[in-house]
Amino acid sequence: QVQLVESGGGLAQTGGSLRLSCTASERPSTNFAVGWFRQAPGKEREFVSTIRFNGHSTYYADSVKGRFTISRVSNRLTVHLQMNSLKPEDTAVYYCAAGTTLITSTLRNGNAYAYWGQGTQVTVSS
């Protein structure tokens, strides 16, 4: 069972930056991907970004493209989500998620991810 430990988050002002980190306890297969989803109060969970460990391809939601950057630490099972130019609408609980059977057409669907972190709060003040 893969465990995901998140860190980072907190409070930022509009236009500010925060960095989230997620460390996996193991990599169960070569086809491993780690990503982020978020859920704001009263809203459905939405895809934010994902990175593949095999090939390093990255994927972003249109709402964060150009502002957020996902990366992985070389030789470690750690993924960072650098969030710049934050907006109040970025306020949400951010969840790290990981999976081993993701294909491009499904990686924006949370149901495709088998493992989830506990979530970390990000609040952006206006």
Side-chain angles (χ1 to χ4, degrees):
Q1 181 77 3
V2 177
Q3 295 183 342
L4 303 175
V5 178
E6 301 150 339
S7 61
L11 177 65
Q13 293 184 337
T14 297
S17 299
L18 288 172
R19 189 176 81 163
L20 304 181
S21 299
C22 176
T23 298
S25 59
E26 61 180 284
R27 179 178 175 177
S29 76
T30 57
N31 185 26
F32 190 54
V34 176
W36 294 91
F37 287 74
R38 66 187 182 186
Q39 187 166 21
K43 295 188 176 181
E44 293 186 353
R45 181 180 62 193
E46 65 173 353
F47 170 78
V48 176
S49 182
T50 285
I51 185 167
R52 292 190 184 277
F53 276 50
N54 182 14
H56 297 199
S57 296
T58 58
Y59 307 85
Y60 296 94
D62 289 343
S63 59
V64 305
K65 199 173 297 183
R67 299 188 299 120
F68 290 12
T69 302
I70 193 169
S71 61
R72 57 168 294 204
V73 178
S74 180
N75 297 322
R76 294 186 62 184
L77 300 179
T78 297
V79 170
H80 297 308
L81 183 69
Q82 179 65 43
M83 305 184 294
N84 298 330
S85 301
L86 284 165
K87 304 175 181 180
E89 50 263 44
D90 294 319
T91 295
V93 177
Y94 283 69
Y95 296 91
C96 179
T100 60
T101 61
L102 300 171
I103 58 177
T104 302
S105 61
T106 63
L107 57 81
R108 288 175 170 79
N109 185 339
N111 293 329
Y113 293 75
Y115 312 103
W116 290 83
Q118 77 282 1
T120 185
Q121 177 70 45
V122 170
T123 302
V124 183
S125 62
S126 57

